[in-house]
Amino acid sequence: MSSSAKHLLSLERLAPETMRRILSATPSLKRDRGRAGERPLTGQTWALVFSKSSTRTRVSFEVGIRELGGQALFLSANDIQIGRGESIKDTARVLGRMIHGAVIRTYAQHDVEEFAFYAGVPTINALTDAEHPCQILTDVFTFEEKRGPIAGRTVAFLGDGACNVATSWVWAAAKLGFALHIAAPRPYQPSPDLLRRAGAQVRCFEDPTDAVTGADLLYTDVWVSMGKEAEATERLNLLKQYQLNSRLVAHAKPNVLVMHCLPAYRGNEIDTATFEANAQTIFDEAENRLHVQKAVLSWAVSPD
């Protein structure tokens, strides 16, 4: 085990200065893509260990690793012995002797943290049930690319306010100094303990109109996340009044941005007209996963 390896396990544990360093490094990586440049992963092999299916996360990390000079090795849970019950601890102690870094997409936050500890190589959380840090770093970058600094602005999140994406938004608000409004029915609002720990400017609303009024960014996510399929009927019934649509957009600021981290289920969390009216922003956001994650990877292997 190496105590010197750098990890991105959660926004909760990521210093604001590190967040800003990653965000500041992203524009040049985006601008200079395809040109000869630094390749900090040259000679390295990074494993993508995924227990959850993925489109954007897998493709952006695989492409990013290769563009930075490394090799990407994709391992689904069914491809390796984790799928047959081998412990995360033992898997980490094996892979850590063979790879140079790991990107993990799984269910339990503890699994990512245990892997990082026992593998001793840089480890990146590519989504757990607790957080989705790379997504929210990308969302912040996308907002600032289009509207300037996010500090002092207001973000409104609609839907399941207790999900991993919303939790990472809470920590981003705490670290980067913007206000966060969460519109959700009471059972789907973030826990009081999380809000106390974060100390962020977070307000929870049961009325979505109140939440979006005056917002600079409107954001939504799927209502039935992976692993929550058994709750689908209940979730769809409780959350239907939180659909992001033109009526709610009209209450936000005139130049409000609308984002969705995808995949989108039109007619549930967002209606088709609102999605298509904001498709340019939403797909810019999707593309930016590549550029931000290249900045994350570059930071993870940097000497300081």
Side-chain angles (χ1 to χ4, degrees), residues 66-136:
R66 290 177 177 138
E67 291 189 354
L68 293 174
Q71 296 294 320
L73 176 65
F74 181 79
L75 302 170
S76 76
N78 293 329
D79 293 332
I80 56 178
Q81 296 297 332
I82 286 177
R84 298 181 65 244
E86 183 173 39
S87 70
I88 293 292
K89 179 190 299 187
D90 289 351
T91 300
R93 288 190 285 194
V94 170
L95 292 182
R97 294 167 179 251
M98 301 180 184
I99 61 174
H100 300 90
V103 178
I104 301 184
R105 182 178 175 92
T106 190
Y107 294 89
Q109 178 72 19
H110 173 75
D111 287 350
V112 174
E113 297 182 2
E114 188 172 48
F115 186 98
F117 181 80
Y118 284 100
V121 296
T123 301
I124 297 169
N125 175 355
L127 178 144
T128 66
D129 287 345
E131 276 211 48
H132 199 353
C134 292
Q135 178 65 60
I136 275 55

Side-chain angles (χ1 to χ4, degrees), residues 44-297:
Q44 296 192 8
T45 298
W46 279 62
L48 278 68
V49 184
F50 280 35
S51 297
K52 288 187 173 187
S53 60
S54 168
T55 299
R56 283 148 294 277
T57 299
R58 176 179 175 177
V59 173
S60 56
F61 267 114
E62 285 204 33
V63 172
I65 288 166
R66 290 177 177 138
E67 291 189 354
L68 293 174
Q71 296 294 320
L73 176 65
F74 181 79
L75 302 170
S76 76
N78 293 329
D79 293 332
I80 56 178
Q81 296 297 332
I82 286 177
R84 298 181 65 244
E86 183 173 39
S87 70
I88 293 292
K89 179 190 299 187
D90 289 351
T91 300
R93 288 190 285 194
V94 170
L95 292 182
R97 294 167 179 251
M98 301 180 184
I99 61 174
H100 300 90
V103 178
I104 301 184
R105 182 178 175 92
T106 190
Y107 294 89
Q109 178 72 19
H110 173 75
D111 287 350
V112 174
E113 297 182 2
E114 188 172 48
F115 186 98
F117 181 80
Y118 284 100
V121 296
T123 301
I124 297 169
N125 175 355
L127 178 144
T128 66
D129 287 345
E131 276 211 48
H132 199 353
C134 292
Q135 178 65 60
I136 275 55
L137 285 172
T138 296
D139 298 333
V140 171
F141 171 77
T142 303
F143 180 89
E144 295 194 330
E145 182 181 49
K146 295 177 179 295
R147 294 289 187 269
I150 199 169
R153 305 296 191 95
T154 298
V155 175
F157 181 100
L158 294 91
D160 180 1
C163 73
N164 50 3
V165 171
T167 297
S168 289
W169 270 115
V170 168
W171 288 110
K175 304 295 178 76
L176 299 177
F178 58 87
L180 177 64
H181 293 177
I182 294 180
R186 194 166 295 277
Y188 293 100
Q189 293 180 3
S191 71
D193 176 66
L194 168 63
L195 298 181
R196 280 195 299 271
R197 285 189 292 118
Q201 302 176 65
V202 180
R203 296 177 63 194
C204 296
F205 300 82
E206 290 188 76
D207 185 336
T209 303
D210 291 342
V212 304
T213 298
D216 299 281
L217 168 61
L218 302 183
Y219 194 100
T220 192
D221 189 13
V222 298
W223 289 344
V224 184
S225 298
M226 287 177 284
K228 304 291 186 182
E229 290 82 4
E231 304 171 14
T233 300
E234 177 186 2
R235 285 174 169 268
L236 294 176
N237 286 335
L238 278 174
L239 293 169
K240 60 186 178 183
Q241 66 174 305
Y242 297 91
Q243 182 188 82
L244 182 48
N245 52 39
S246 59
R247 180 183 65 82
L248 290 179
V249 171
H251 288 276
K253 288 186 177 176
N255 65 339
V256 65
L257 286 180
V258 172
M259 291 190 196
H260 192 308
C261 58
L262 302 177
Y265 295 88
R266 296 163 181 80
N268 287 339
E269 72 274 4
I270 190 168
D271 69 0
T272 297
T274 303
F275 184 93
E276 293 300 336
N278 295 278
Q280 183 65 53
T281 296
I282 291 168
F283 289 103
D284 285 348
E285 174 190 7
E287 177 198 333
N288 284 339
R289 290 288 300 278
L290 169 64
H291 311 303
V292 172
Q293 287 163 187
K294 286 172 71 174
V296 170
L297 291 161

Side-chain angles (χ1 to χ4, degrees), residues 1-7 120 300:
M1 294 176 290
S2 169
S3 60
S4 61
K6 293 196 293 189
H7 313 297

